[in-house]
Structures are given as C-alpha cells and as structure tokens.
Amino acid sequence: MKRIGLFLATNFAVLIVFSIVLNIIYAVTGMQPGSLSGLLVLAAVFGFGGSIISLLMSKSMALRSVGAQVIEHPRNETEHWLMNTVSQQAQRAGIGMPTVAIYNSPDINAFATGAKRNDSVVAVSTGLMQNMTRDEAEAVLAHEISHIANGDMITMTLMQGVVNTFVIFISRVIAGAVSGMNSDEEGEGEGGGNWMMYFLISSVLEIVFGILASILTMWFSRHREFRADAGSAQLVGKQKMIAALERLKVSQEPKLEGSMMAFGINGKKTLSELFMTHPPLEKRIDALRRGDHL
C-alpha cells in the first residue's frame, strides 16, 4: 500500500514539472502543438521520465516517509526472526536478499519496494509485529516478497509511463484544437492569447485525464494484490494468508499515506472501488478460498 501511493504521488509531481518544462520548450523553440509526431515523442520522454524517476526514488523515499530503521545487525529476537524469515522466503522466491526495515507505527501494515528484484526493501510496522501471530506475520512478509518476485514495481512503472504519455499527448492535442494552435502554421497565432488558452486548457485536461487514467492504474494495483496473496499462499500456505487477512479485517484503519498506500498489505476504503489500491479484504479472502490465481 505504502509504496504505490508514494510512487504515484512522486510520479504526479514529476509529471507536473515536466509539463511546465514542455510548455517552456514550446515557447522558446516555437514548436507547434499541431506537430503530432514531435508532440508524441516529447510526451513519451516526459511520460516515461516521470514514472522512471519515481521508481528509482521509491526505495529511499519509502523508508524516509515512515522513518523506517534498516536492520543491519539484529538487536533482539524479533529482528532476528524478521531477517531469517525474509531470507528464507527470498531464497524460495528466487530473488536477492532484500533490505529489511522496521518502522514505528500502531498501524498493522508492511510494504516492499525497489527498482530491482535483487535490490529491494521490505519494511514492517511495529504494530504488525505486536498484533499478529508469527504465522500471520510470516504470510504478510511472503505477500511482500511475492510483490518483488512478480516484478510489480517494474510493471507499474511501464504502465504508468504509457498512461502519462497518452495523458500528455491527448490533453495537448485537444488543447491545440480548442485554442486554434493546431491550425497556426506560422507559429504566431493570435499572439499570447492563444498560447495562454492552450497552456490553461492543456493543464486542466492533464489533471482531469490523469484522474481518469488512475482508474486503470488502480485496477492493476488491485489485480496484483490477488497475485501477491496467491504467491504468499504458495510460499507459506493458504491458511496462514487467510488468517492474516482475517486479522486485518478487525484491525484499525491503516495509516499509510500517499503513493505508499498501494504497496502495503492493507489499503484504505474509498467511495468507489475503482479508486481503491487494494480489493476489499472479503474478496481477497474469497479468492484464496476458491484457489483463484494459484
């Protein structure tokens, strides 16, 4: 939960910066919005640039966002258990040993992130360790290890890059048509009036289309939660994962915020399931009991 939220927030921030840069490029070079091939190339560069930067920053930003402490030398039995459990699961999943961290929070949650399968991080909250049994915590860790083994962050990055590209491209094509910039062959238009209208319309459309496009991103986020649940069931057993999800049903509302929300074990409820990073716990439990995705 935590990692996707932070990933998406970072991506959105970078996209806004790139959008401003793109406007400056238009103003300085005189490139016309009607040049669709040039616009598509720039949209792809900026669209994938935002998601790739978010991916590369995900590990350090995730740890800083919750004040997590990396376990380098286990200081107690709990930390020894965490390190050993993650190590065993990583070997079984065929990935490199992730960095293991713990953060202080009453929230029962955990997350995993990183740009590479062999250079990732798994972090758990103190609330999880205090309120879950070892079997339940083991299942949660296996869920996060499955996210890494499935390459979810890479897939999310590619999907977000495509989404960003089309959001930028379509917004500016429509803005160019409405403002009359697409038909301005000499690049002078009616002066600043057209350019200001173009910039304003394209900026508004990017926000609107970005929100609509997040429906697709959230759908993938929910889909990969089912796959990670199934991966956990394969690593430690279906009953342990079901028990962990049942525990989450009676736990307090999760407190992970922003882009990190999508990469945790539990997610917040919204008015519409379309904008949820995680499927309802009942659906996840039912899917495990039916053997879906296994």
Side-chain angles (χ1 to χ4, degrees):
M1 179 174 62
K2 189 91 175 159
R3 62 181 175 176
I4 286 258
L6 191 57
F7 170 80
L8 295 177
T10 304
N11 173 80
F12 186 69
V14 173
L15 191 60
I16 291 176
V17 173
F18 280 171
S19 177
I20 295 173
V21 172
L22 183 57
N23 285 341
I24 294 175
I25 290 176
Y26 275 138
V28 172
T29 65
M31 180 186 298
Q32 285 303 291
S35 176
L36 296 183
S37 59
L39 174 59
L40 183 58
V41 170
L42 287 174
V45 170
F46 290 163
F48 278 92
S51 59
I52 291 173
I53 289 176
S54 302
L55 175 66
L56 295 176
M57 296 173 63
S58 63
K59 185 176 177 179
S60 59
M61 289 190 65
L63 292 174
R64 279 199 298 267
S65 70
V66 295
Q69 293 185 338
V70 173
I71 302 175
E72 297 180 351
H73 304 288
R75 298 164 296 181
N76 51 52
E77 190 274 337
T78 296
E79 293 186 356
H80 274 287
W81 181 86
L82 275 175
M83 294 290 289
N84 291 336
T85 302
V86 171
S87 177
Q88 293 171 10
Q89 293 182 357
Q91 289 179 7
R92 293 181 60 188
I95 63 174
M97 175 64 180
T99 298
V100 181
I102 189 167
Y103 63 96
N104 186 29
S105 171
D107 185 25
I108 300 178
N109 225 319
F111 65 87
T113 191
K116 302 177 183 178
R117 293 172 79 249
N118 295 324
D119 183 22
S120 55
V121 60
V122 174
V124 300
S125 68
T126 53
L128 182 146
M129 298 307 302
Q130 293 166 0
N131 294 284
M132 279 191 162
T133 67
R134 286 292 169 85
D135 283 350
E136 293 165 351
E138 182 184 4
V140 170
L141 291 172
H143 173 98
E144 301 304 333
I145 290 293
S146 296
H147 274 310
I148 299 170
N150 293 339
D152 285 340
M153 280 301 291
I154 302 298
T155 308
M156 177 66 76
T157 298
L158 295 176
M159 173 179 286
Q160 192 65 54
V162 172
V163 168
N164 290 347
T165 298
F166 281 96
V167 166
I168 294 173
F169 181 75
I170 296 174
S171 298
R172 290 173 182 274
V173 168
I174 294 176
V178 173
S179 65
M181 297 301 294
N182 286 351
S183 61
D184 184 5
E185 299 179 357
E186 300 300 322
E188 295 174 1
E190 287 346 322
N194 277 352
W195 275 111
M196 289 301 295
M197 181 183 296
Y198 171 79
F199 292 156
L200 178 61
I201 294 174
S202 64
S203 297
V204 172
L205 288 178
E206 282 177 6
I207 294 174
V208 173
F209 288 156
I211 294 174
L212 294 177
S214 68
I215 294 176
L216 177 62
T217 305
M218 294 301 99
W219 169 85
F220 174 72
S221 178
R222 293 191 299 274
H223 175 71
R224 64 176 183 73
E225 286 303 314
F226 286 120
R227 291 184 61 219
D229 286 345
S232 175
Q234 292 174 345
L235 284 174
V236 302
K238 181 168 67 174
Q239 291 307 315
K240 288 184 179 180
M241 190 63 218
I242 290 176
L245 294 175
E246 291 282 6
R247 176 77 64 177
L248 289 174
K249 285 180 63 176
V250 298
S251 70
Q252 63 191 74
E253 184 75 8
K255 296 181 176 58
L256 289 178
E257 299 294 343
S259 62
M260 297 303 300
M261 185 65 64
F263 287 91
I265 185 65
N266 194 10
K268 284 186 176 180
K269 294 182 179 179
T270 64
L271 294 177
S272 172
E273 189 174 330
L274 291 175
F275 294 96
M276 291 174 64
T277 59
H278 289 57
L281 291 170
E282 294 81 2
K283 289 188 177 181
R284 295 170 65 181
I285 294 171
D286 289 343
L288 282 171
R289 287 175 173 159
R290 292 194 307 267
D292 295 353
H293 306 281
L294 291 177

